[in-house]
Amino acid sequence: FPSHDIRATTTCLNQDTTSASTLGYDYSNQVNSANNAIWNSSVSASGTHSSGYEGGTYAAARSRYYKFTSGSGSITFPSGAKVNYLVVGGGGGGGQGIANSRQPGGGGGGGVLKGSVTSSGSSYSITVGGGGNGGSGFGTNGSDGSNSVFSTITSTGGGGGGSETNTSSAANGRAGGSGGGGCTDSSTGNNQGTGGAGTSGQGNNGGASFTGASPFSGGGGGGAGAVGSNGNSTQGGNGGNGTASSISGSSVTYAGGGGGGSYGSVASSGGTGGGGAGGKGGSGSATAGTAGTANTGGGGGSSGYLTAGAAGGSGIVILKYTVASQTVFTFKSTSKWICPTGVTSVDYLVVAGGGGGMTIGSCYNATGGCHALRTDISGKSTLNNSNRAIAHSEYSENNGYIVTGK
């Protein structure tokens, strides 16, 4: 007869620190197969995304991450699962350069939020914010980046870099996740444009423009990790540095600010974390700023004389699903196992041994010949005393018995 199995969960009471190897467990290749089943179950995702394992493969990992890089989507995790998140808004665009004294500010980096939630088992909505456009008309500010969203968690897009058209007033950078850099006034450069405000807990303020003497320069956009630098007499303000995260394994920096523009010959740098460099130069020698890096939330660099500002980089949403460490032990003979310290419950499968098969005949040599056991259908047995060897099984329907032997 086949055996039966018992499957259940029990509470671990007797705990010990004895290692598995000293107790003779057979658990080779069990961790890999167990984790494979865990990773391939219970998580569904839609939208533009990729996934991977912390450490490279599921065999060594205890976490799997999902990267959403554009548009909208959704994801569902098992109820009770711990989910770490990184949400980065789109970077702001850099302002457009106008004239020698009208030097624009760099775009602010997108806001950054990090943390963890416990899954309810419901579907979570996701939106990845795009980068703001660079200023492209006479005295046009850079556009703000768009917000990125995971469930109810919203990271604000970076503020656009300042640029202006008035003859006697400066233009301030726009507020955002991190603020855009300020722009000088358009006639004498004596009026200072302030940096836009960053969102508390997400980013920093942009830098102010340089005033008072040529070469004039705009302020750098704020980054998630630092404020944007003020412009100076040599160059535009550098973008503020971003903030690093290791949620997907290796450390990556996000949401740096874009560099401010300058009438001089030295270009500003974007902040670490995808911020674009600022442009430089006057009539006939102006260079454009560089765009923020895609999926970092970096701000776009502002530009030199009559040159369009650069776009901010798109944001990103990364989610990491963490499972408890699990090991499967297989016992193939009588043994003893003591629950390790820190383990509170154990899932078990116990399978009994199967029953033996029934012997319906035998042959032995008692008097120099073969004595075959004959069993009739009614269950009665007789001995067939034969001095010849029975070479094969014999069956008679009429007499109702089977003789086996050789």
Side-chain angles (χ1 to χ4, degrees), residues 109-200:
V112 176
L113 289 172
K114 309 174 187 179
S116 64
V117 297
T118 300
S119 172
S120 65
S122 301
S123 177
Y124 294 102
S125 60
I126 293 165
T127 301
V128 178
N133 294 324
S136 60
F138 187 80
T140 306
N141 291 338
S143 299
D144 299 339
S146 299
N147 297 344
S148 291
V149 181
F150 164 54
S151 185
T152 60
I153 299 159
T154 301
S155 289
T156 307
S163 182
E164 53 80 37
T165 59
N166 296 327
T167 59
S168 60
S169 63
N172 299 329
R174 293 181 56 82
S178 286
C183 175
T184 57
D185 75 22
S186 60
S187 57
T188 64
N190 289 323
N191 295 316
Q192 185 181 53
T194 61
T199 302
S200 178

Side-chain angles (χ1 to χ4, degrees), residues 234-249:
T234 302
Q235 64 175 66
N238 294 327
N241 288 336
T243 185
S245 172
S246 300
I247 190 170
S248 57

Side-chain angles (χ1 to χ4, degrees), residues 3 23 45 83 97 118 139 144 160 199 208 221 231 244 251-252 349 364 375 383 386:
S3 62
L23 297 179
V83 180
T118 300
D144 299 339
T199 302
S251 180
V252 178
L349 169 67
Y364 62 93
T375 304
L383 283 175
S386 173

Side-chain angles (χ1 to χ4, degrees), residues 286-317:
T287 61
T290 58
T293 304
N295 297 131
T296 66
S302 61
S303 297
Y305 183 82
L306 291 179
T307 307
S314 55
I316 194 168
V317 175

Side-chain angles (χ1 to χ4, degrees), residues 22-85:
T22 63
L23 297 179
Y25 305 136
D26 176 11
Y27 59 95
S28 59
N29 297 321
Q30 297 298 317
V31 177
N32 292 11
S33 60
N35 281 341
N36 190 33
I38 293 167
W39 298 131
N40 290 330
S41 66
S42 304
V43 177
S44 60
S46 65
T48 305
H49 71 282
S50 60
S51 65
Y53 301 97
E54 188 177 52
T57 63
Y58 70 79
R62 288 294 180 265
S63 299
R64 185 174 186 176
Y65 61 83
Y66 296 81
K67 291 182 179 180
F68 292 82
T69 53
S70 66
S72 298
S74 65
I75 193 166
T76 303
F77 293 101
S79 179
K82 179 182 178 182
V83 180
N84 293 89
Y85 61 82

